[in-house]
Amino acid sequence: MKSMRRNAIRVKLPATLHGRLITAFLAFSILSTGTWWVITDPLADDDAINVPEKVCGNRFSGKPVASLLPTKGRQFEERATDRKVRAPSGVDLSGTRYNEDTLGRPRVVIGKQFFCTAKAGGEMVNVALSYFLRSTYPRGTFETHGVQLSLGDAYGYISMSHRFYLHVPCPTVRDTQALTVEVDSSLIDEKVVNRPEHIKPNKHDAQLAALHADVARQAARDWIKCPDADKLPEGPVKIHWP
């Protein structure tokens, strides 16, 4: 199970045209992440691991990431990817096909994504951000996928693979804009269950909740500059065990 978690980044997409458009991009990211781990993972040693003050391309604090990595062993490495997602040529933002005389227009940007994998001492931490225009995540539906999470007005769940998901509402004047923040760790060596009620607490949940909240705050403030970012409270994501 642990080796499978190291080679996979699961990303939950909105059930919309936008989500389906980027499946190919995600498949490439998953494959390349696993390949990078195999090629670059050095031999273990007994040196103390030094996690930088800032990680994932200097976007997030290294402290909560360090709490999910060993203190000795293989030295810290990271890989971060930030990219825009565009609609296919011939389709506008609403899904309507262009007329023949406008097929040459640039493809519309419908969102952006960020992926980061940090590893050290034989363990890894994954972070994934997804941000799409005109996407919605109804709270009642979103929270039914697992154990409920919250951070102020942000809401989410622990999935059946024990990955943490959080939706941060970020409305603007014209469009509904959706930021989804996902984190997991190879230390969460849990068996994948088939029903939300079978999800059990893990001894590393507190560290993952702290990382999740830190990434959500920083992503909302700096990555997408959400107008309501400062309303996200300090402290970890709250886990609402039934």
Side-chain angles (χ1 to χ4, degrees), residues 118-164:
K119 63 173 185 171
E123 302 292 347
M124 70 170 12
V125 175
N126 297 312
V127 174
L129 308 176
S130 300
Y131 176 63
F132 296 99
L133 302 177
R134 296 184 182 177
S135 295
T136 58
Y137 297 81
R139 184 166 192 160
T141 301
F142 199 64
E143 292 180 331
T144 61
H145 297 299
V147 175
Q148 293 183 14
L149 300 173
S150 66
L151 183 68
D153 290 336
Y155 51 88
Y157 63 96
I158 301 175
S159 75
M160 289 181 283
S161 62
H162 221 89
R163 184 174 178 85
F164 282 38

Side-chain angles (χ1 to χ4, degrees), residues 170-192:
C170 186
T172 63
V173 175
R174 294 182 303 167
D175 301 314
T176 297
Q177 302 185 347
L179 167 65
T180 300
V181 180
E182 307 167 39
V183 296
D184 74 4
S185 167
S186 59
L187 290 178
I188 308 291
D189 193 18
E190 292 284 345
K191 180 180 178 181
V192 177

Side-chain angles (χ1 to χ4, degrees), residues 13 20 22 39 51 72 74 85 110-111 115 128 132 138 141 149-150 154 159 163 185 199 202 204 215 219 223 231 237:
L13 299 173
R20 295 192 294 270
I22 62 172
I39 293 174
V51 177
K72 291 184 178 182
R74 303 177 182 98
V85 180
I110 61 173
F115 302 97
F132 296 99
T141 301
L149 300 173
S150 66
S159 75
R163 184 174 178 85
S185 167
I199 301 170
N202 184 279
H204 298 292
V215 170
W223 191 59
K231 294 182 180 180
V237 167

Side-chain angles (χ1 to χ4, degrees), residues 31-104:
L31 177 61
S32 62
T33 299
T35 303
W36 169 69
W37 175 276
V38 172
I39 293 174
T40 65
D41 205 20
L43 296 176
D45 56 46
D46 295 327
D47 292 340
I49 294 172
N50 297 311
V51 177
E53 183 178 345
K54 291 287 187 178
V55 299
C56 293
N58 293 320
R59 290 189 181 277
F60 310 122
S61 170
K63 186 175 181 179
V65 172
S67 72
L68 289 160
L69 296 172
T71 57
K72 291 184 178 182
R74 303 177 182 98
Q75 285 304 304
F76 178 86
E77 299 179 72
E78 69 171 55
R79 183 175 183 178
T81 303
D82 196 346
R83 60 172 172 245
K84 294 179 180 179
V85 180
R86 295 180 181 272
S89 59
V91 179
D92 67 15
L93 193 57
S94 66
T96 303
R97 293 194 172 277
Y98 293 158
N99 295 327
E100 289 185 0
D101 60 345
T102 58
L103 280 175

